[in-house]
């Protein structure tokens, strides 16, 4: 029997971009990954994985100060999206802080699991990886930084403009397909660029378990002029990993180029003039497979 309704009440809630981010986070298994590596006591109201997902949602939808998480949760109807949330006051900065403390030591394995799931579920192409560092400069005095093992320190160093400033270094690997970030790490400001490539790639490879779904010999790593040191090249050769990187045309590089050009019957001068041998613009692109 059909029942005719005389009055219908409805309530409109704005969830904005969460309609897109929520299914992506759940397909990646983000909450489950965090909980696997950062378990919490059974009597806790909210697990670390849920809090991490909520903080991520906040950063992606309407990034504000962490102390205003309850206000964000109210604006985006989080209690309606997450049945575990009975009141928006549960989503507070104290819980976020405890989650971040628990997550810090496990951040590499968590990120590796997330990237591995993204590669599988979304067809992320990891055959070509771009590697580089970026200086993040700061103003002020930071003489009393704690010396905690594994925590990067603000240190003086040169930024890309040649300025000597207090800085941290950000190392990143991005996929050649779309520039999607697949690995990152913060390093102390005085860290030299050339020494970061091999250990960071090894960490990414281990934590994302690359060899399980992508042969290393199928990968080409592309970096800037600080990448192809002798030590790095030996590492890539041992891993059977392809790489592309520029080097300055110093005298021994010029001689190698001359020998190569003669062996293939090419007559001509190297691409740079004799007076520019130490210039950063004077470079040869190496590709070893």
């Amino acid at each position: 029997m059909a029942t005719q309704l005389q009055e219908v009440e409805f309530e409109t809630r704005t969830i904005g971009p969460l309609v897109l981010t929520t299914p992506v986070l759940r397909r990646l298994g983000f909450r489950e990954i965090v909980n696997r590596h950062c378990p919490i006591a059974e009597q806790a109201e909210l697990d670390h994985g849920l809090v991490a997902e909520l903080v991520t949602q906040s950063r992606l939808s309407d990034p504000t100060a962490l102390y205003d998480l309850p206000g964000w949760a109210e604006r985006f109807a989080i209690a309606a999206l997450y049945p575990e949330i009975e009141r928006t006051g549960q989503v507070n900065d104290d819980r976020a802080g405890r989650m971040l403390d628990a997550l810090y030591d496990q951040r590499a394995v968590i990120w590796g699991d997330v990237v591995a799931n993204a590669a599988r579920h979304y067809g992320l192409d990891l055959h070509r990886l771009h590697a580089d560092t970026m200086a993040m400069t700061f103003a002020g005095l930071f003489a009393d930084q704690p010396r905690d093992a594994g925590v990067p320190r603000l240190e003086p160093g040169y930024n890309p403009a040649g300025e000597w400033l207090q800085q941290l270094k950000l190392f990143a690997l991005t996929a050649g397909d779309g520039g999607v970030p697949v690995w990152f790490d913060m390093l102390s400001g005085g860290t030299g660029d050339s020494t970061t490539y091999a250990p960071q790639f090894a960490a990414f490879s281990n934590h994302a378990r690359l060899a399980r779904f992508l042969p290393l010999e199928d990968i080409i790593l592309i970096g800037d002029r600080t990448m192809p040191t002798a030590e790095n090249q030996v590492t890539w050769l041992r891993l059977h990993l392809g790489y592309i990187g520029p080097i300055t045309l110093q005298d021994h590089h010029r001689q190698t180029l001359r020998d190569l050009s003669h062996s293939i019957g090419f007559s001509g001068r190297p691409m740079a003039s004799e007076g520019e041998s130490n210039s950063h613009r004077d470079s040869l692109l190496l590709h070893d497979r």
Side-chain angles (χ1 to χ4, degrees):
M1 181 179 68
T3 301
Q4 185 175 0
L5 299 178
Q6 301 298 325
E7 295 182 3
V8 177
E9 293 184 2
F10 64 90
E11 183 176 353
T12 301
R13 295 180 181 272
T14 302
I15 62 174
L18 271 66
V19 71
L20 301 176
T21 58
T22 301
V24 171
L25 288 170
R26 292 178 180 173
R27 190 178 186 191
L28 292 175
F30 179 61
R31 178 178 177 181
E32 293 76 14
I33 290 171
V34 172
N35 283 335
R36 185 165 65 250
H37 295 290
C38 304
I40 196 171
E42 293 183 0
Q43 64 268 26
E45 275 190 338
L46 306 180
D47 55 71
H48 286 317
L50 175 58
V51 177
E53 183 171 317
L54 291 172
V55 171
T56 302
Q57 296 273 44
S58 171
R59 299 298 91 188
L60 293 174
S61 61
D62 185 23
T64 56
L66 286 180
Y67 67 77
D68 192 34
L69 281 175
W72 166 81
E74 183 67 33
R75 291 192 301 276
F76 284 85
I78 294 302
L81 282 176
Y82 290 86
E84 299 90 342
I85 305 299
E86 298 177 357
R87 59 189 187 283
T88 56
Q90 292 174 283
V91 188
N92 55 57
D93 56 342
D94 289 334
R95 279 200 169 91
R98 288 193 293 269
M99 176 275 297
L100 292 173
D101 285 340
L103 187 144
Y104 183 80
D105 289 336
Q106 303 296 326
R107 64 194 185 282
V109 292
I110 290 172
W111 181 255
D113 284 353
V114 170
V115 170
N117 282 353
R120 281 190 292 266
H121 293 309
Y122 293 98
L124 190 61
D125 185 3
L126 302 178
H127 287 83
R128 190 172 77 249
L129 299 173
H130 295 254
D132 206 351
T133 61
M134 181 180 73
M136 302 176 64
T137 58
F138 294 79
L141 299 176
F142 301 90
D144 298 327
Q145 299 174 75
R147 291 189 174 273
D148 296 331
V151 178
R153 291 174 54 81
L154 279 168
E155 294 174 345
Y158 287 108
N159 67 3
E163 300 169 314
W164 184 257
L165 298 170
Q166 289 275 4
Q167 62 183 14
L168 292 173
K169 285 285 187 69
L170 172 65
F171 178 91
L173 277 172
T174 63
D177 180 16
V180 178
V182 297
W183 186 255
F184 69 95
D185 197 10
M186 291 302 304
L187 307 170
S188 295
T191 304
D193 287 359
S194 62
T195 60
T196 63
Y197 292 95
Q200 290 294 334
F201 178 82
F204 167 62
S205 180
N206 291 335
H207 291 309
R209 303 182 301 283
L210 278 181
R212 293 190 182 183
F213 60 91
L214 183 65
L216 294 184
E217 57 266 24
D218 288 352
I219 298 173
I220 296 177
L221 185 61
I222 303 171
D224 65 8
R225 62 185 176 83
T226 60
M227 185 185 71
T229 63
E231 293 79 9
N232 285 341
Q233 292 183 61
V234 169
T235 300
W236 309 144
L237 291 172
R238 286 174 176 168
L239 292 172
H240 304 288
L241 185 74
Y243 67 89
I244 296 177
I247 60 173
T248 56
L249 282 178
Q250 300 171 357
D251 290 341
H252 61 287
H253 298 144
R254 289 175 173 277
Q255 188 57 50
T256 300
L257 182 59
R258 291 189 188 99
D259 294 341
L260 177 62
S261 63
H262 290 320
S263 68
I264 61 177
F266 174 78
S267 60
R269 297 181 61 194
M271 64 185 75
S273 63
E274 294 295 332
E276 296 176 337
S277 60
N278 292 321
S279 170
H280 293 164
R281 296 169 298 173
D282 181 10
S283 61
L284 170 66
L285 191 67
L286 294 185
H287 178 194
D288 178 60
R289 290 294 289 167

